[in-house]
Amino acid sequence: MKRLQLDAEKRDILFRALVALAMLFGAVLLQTSFLPWVGLFGAIPDLVLIFVAGVGFFNGAGVGIPFGIGAGLVSYFLGGGNVMIILLYSLAGILFSMIFMGRRYLPWCLHMLAAVLFKAVWSLLMCLLFSPVPRPLAALWYSILPELLGTLLLSLVLYVPVRAAARLLKRKSEL
């Protein structure tokens, strides 16, 4: 049997793809199994959104867009929910990898604020379009705002881990 030979660039791409898949798998497992027990403000923060926005923030569109699409697929297949979650994380990967404001903590805070506002608009649209009895104010007060506040606070704490994880996805020549 002939053994597959990979050059250094293909090995690097394969390694980065496997690291991204492991990060997404870990984030989805934490979000679906651990964070419901913690529940900041009575809601579950969106850890996958933090990683998608963070990878796009630190690595740009070349890595952020495929990571967002992959996050949507992994989140749908492992975490359940509706198919629209694939579109949410794909759009987040596209939008938040194209915004460049610097790579420091204050722009990170503004970036994550934009991410949670994006999620708020998304959640309100889903409530209005797919809820049998749309009550957007009740959804906003009891579900959307607590989730967004928890996501924002968690993202402020996870700046260093997300930055370290995003560095693993960069090419060795980009470090």
Side-chain angles (χ1 to χ4, degrees):
M1 180 171 204
K2 187 176 178 182
R3 191 171 173 185
L4 181 65
Q5 296 292 327
L6 296 174
D7 60 347
E9 185 178 339
K10 288 182 181 175
R11 277 196 310 263
D12 185 46
I13 291 170
L14 182 64
F15 171 74
R16 289 185 296 130
L18 290 175
V19 167
L21 189 62
M23 282 183 357
L24 289 172
F25 188 76
V28 169
L29 283 180
L30 278 174
Q31 184 169 328
T32 57
S33 62
F34 177 70
L35 287 180
W37 292 96
V38 175
L40 296 170
F41 305 107
I44 302 168
D46 197 344
L47 186 62
V48 178
L49 180 68
I50 294 171
F51 272 94
V52 168
V55 167
F57 177 74
F58 289 114
N59 292 345
V63 177
I65 293 172
F67 191 81
I69 294 168
L73 291 171
V74 169
S75 182
Y76 173 70
F77 289 119
L78 289 181
N82 61 13
V83 172
M84 297 303 285
I85 199 78
I86 299 171
L87 183 62
L88 168 72
Y89 291 131
S90 299
L91 286 175
I94 291 168
L95 291 175
F96 297 110
S97 61
M98 294 183 179
I99 298 172
F100 179 79
M101 295 182 287
R103 304 293 187 236
R104 302 284 181 232
Y105 188 69
L106 183 60
W108 165 261
C109 297
L110 295 174
H111 196 76
M112 292 313 300
L113 181 62
V116 296
L117 290 176
F118 170 74
K119 178 79 185 267
V121 170
W122 176 271
S123 299
L124 280 173
L125 281 174
M126 292 299 110
C127 174
L128 289 172
L129 294 176
F130 297 113
S131 178
V133 181
R135 296 185 343 204
L137 291 179
L140 182 69
W141 185 254
Y142 293 110
S143 177
I144 296 170
L145 287 179
E147 177 189 345
L148 298 182
L149 191 57
T151 301
L152 187 60
L153 289 176
L154 189 61
S155 70
L156 299 179
V157 173
L158 291 178
Y159 170 75
V160 173
V162 169
R163 186 180 63 187
R167 282 183 160 238
L168 290 174
L169 299 179
K170 285 190 175 189
R171 290 188 193 139
K172 299 202 185 318
S173 62
E174 295 174 349
L175 291 176

